[in-house]
Amino acid sequence: MGMQLNTCDSGRTVLASADGSLYSKIFGNGCFVLAGGNELKAEIQSNNLIKIYDGDLIMQGRHVYIPASDSDTVTINNGSQGMNRKDLIVARYTKTSDGTEDVVLAVIQGTATEGTAVAPEYVEGDILTGAAAKDFPLYEVTLSGINITSVTKKFSVLGADLSDVSALESKMSALGNYTP
C-alpha cells in the first residue's frame, strides 16, 4: 500500500492500527498505566467484588481508559475453606475476525491448593503484529480460604514530568530540529 498520510482529511478512514502504531512509537510497545487520575486503583468491596477506579492505560499502542469519576468492578469467585488461590485481574484485549477490537476487565481464576498458590497463566499476544488476544495483568488477588487477603499491583505507571523540558530540548537541538 505504500506511504500514507494519516492525520489529514483524505476521505480515507483512519485505522486503529495506524493510531496504535503511532502510540507504540511514543510510549513503547509495552503495557503501562499512565500517570494521573486514580491510576486504576483497586479497592476491595467484599470477598467477591473489587472496584477499579479511573485511569488510562496503553496496551501496545492501544489507549484504554476508565473516565474520570467513573469506575468498573470485577467479581472474584468464592474461595474454598482451607485452600489458597491467586487470581489475576487483567485488561483483556480481543480482536474479532471482522477486525473489531475491544478491551474489558477480566478475572483469570487460579487453581486452589492447600499449599502455596501461584498466579494463573495469561495470554501474551502481540497486538502490533495482529494478535487476536492479549492480557495485561493489572492485579494479583490472593485468597486464603474464603477471604481476599491482598490485591497486589502488577503494572508500572508511566509518567511524564513536563515541568523540565531541558532534556527534550537538548535531544531536539542535537537533531537540528529545534532552536530554543
Side-chain angles (χ1 to χ4, degrees):
M1 193 166 192
M3 186 172 284
Q4 300 175 38
L5 180 57
N6 196 43
T7 53
C8 68
D9 186 4
S10 67
R12 184 173 40 86
T13 301
V14 176
L15 300 175
S17 58
D19 280 345
S21 176
L22 173 64
Y23 291 150
S24 73
K25 303 311 182 281
I26 294 169
F27 296 106
N29 64 357
C31 296
F32 309 95
V33 169
L34 299 177
N38 281 304
E39 299 173 357
L40 302 177
K41 178 182 93 172
E43 182 178 86
I44 299 170
Q45 302 291 296
S46 71
N47 277 337
N48 295 96
L49 195 64
I50 296 179
K51 184 176 187 176
I52 307 295
Y53 287 88
D54 63 277
D56 292 72
L57 62 87
I58 298 290
M59 282 181 78
Q60 293 183 319
R62 298 306 194 263
H63 173 231
V64 182
Y65 73 109
I66 297 174
S69 301
D70 199 358
S71 61
D72 204 343
T73 56
V74 293
T75 301
I76 304 298
N77 286 333
N78 287 332
S80 300
Q81 198 70 351
M83 303 295 274
N84 300 309
R85 192 178 82 216
K86 288 185 185 275
D87 295 351
L88 289 177
I89 299 172
V90 301
R92 174 164 288 158
Y93 166 91
T94 56
K95 183 176 183 178
T96 62
S97 59
D98 71 359
T100 303
E101 297 171 287
D102 195 18
V103 175
V104 297
L105 290 177
V107 175
I108 304 172
Q109 184 172 315
T111 302
T113 180
E114 291 179 353
T116 302
V118 296
E121 293 185 15
Y122 56 92
V123 177
E124 296 191 50
D126 186 345
I127 297 169
L128 295 169
T129 61
K134 175 169 184 59
D135 291 333
F136 172 18
L138 299 173
Y139 292 97
E140 182 178 273
V141 180
T142 303
L143 291 95
S144 179
I146 61 170
N147 297 312
I148 294 174
T149 57
S150 69
V151 178
T152 306
K153 181 172 77 168
K154 302 301 285 181
F155 58 84
S156 298
V157 175
L158 181 64
D161 180 4
L162 299 180
S163 63
D164 179 12
V165 296
S166 60
L168 179 59
E169 287 176 344
S170 175
K171 287 180 182 180
M172 290 177 71
S173 292
L175 294 172
N177 300 350
Y178 178 78
T179 307

